Amino acid sequence: MSIKETNINNYIPKIPDIIECRIEKTLAVIGGKWSFFVIRELFEGIRRFGELQRQIKGVSPKALTDTLRHLEEQGCLEREAFPTVPVTVQYKLTPKGEDLHQILAEMKLWAAKWT
């Protein structure tokens, strides 16, 4: 299976026969230190690297790059590069990434209630 085929399969939701405990898999996708912050910013719309770095206080360029690559590999965001000098790159959530909105909203409600 090629990389292109793998990425396309990331956008096709699975319909499980049996719902097992998949919390570990979800946390592997969104549990990184900066993942939540990147996803939160992308809920607002398309962002460029510099915009993300300015909005996410304390993130280094390396940490942001690693987080963006991880989320792209997981199929949660798309990276689009434009042939300009210097290269312009923008990021947006995929349908899989957009689906995280409800999960993160529930986590926010829990935190407001209990912390």
Side-chain angles (χ1 to χ4, degrees):
M1 183 177 285
S2 72
I3 293 173
K4 188 76 170 170
E5 291 171 2
T6 302
N7 289 340
I8 291 171
N9 288 335
N10 278 332
Y11 303 136
I12 301 170
K14 296 180 178 98
I15 302 172
D17 294 328
I18 300 171
I19 297 178
E20 299 175 25
C21 182
R22 301 289 181 161
I23 294 170
E24 294 87 359
K25 288 186 176 189
T26 304
L27 289 175
V29 174
I30 64 169
K33 180 176 181 179
W34 300 105
S35 294
F36 163 75
F37 297 104
V38 169
I39 293 167
R40 180 191 65 192
E41 289 302 318
L42 293 176
F43 282 146
E44 302 298 319
I46 295 171
R47 297 285 186 266
R48 291 173 54 183
F49 185 91
E51 292 173 309
L52 290 168
Q53 192 172 15
R54 281 189 297 278
Q55 293 297 318
I56 302 170
K57 304 296 183 218
V59 67
S60 71
K62 182 184 182 331
L64 181 55
T65 298
D66 291 347
T67 301
L68 290 166
R69 283 183 183 151
H70 169 74
L71 291 171
E72 183 180 14
E73 289 167 2
Q74 297 298 317
C76 293
L77 63 82
E78 289 179 344
R79 176 185 186 272
E80 186 174 7
F82 299 93
T84 59
V85 178
V87 174
T88 301
V89 179
Q90 65 184 26
Y91 299 90
K92 67 179 181 178
L93 290 175
T94 62
K96 183 177 181 178
E98 290 286 348
D99 257 2
L100 293 168
H101 198 271
Q102 182 179 358
I103 294 168
L104 297 176
E106 289 296 323
M107 291 173 70
K108 183 178 177 180
L109 289 173
W110 181 90
K113 181 177 180 179
W114 294 103
T115 60

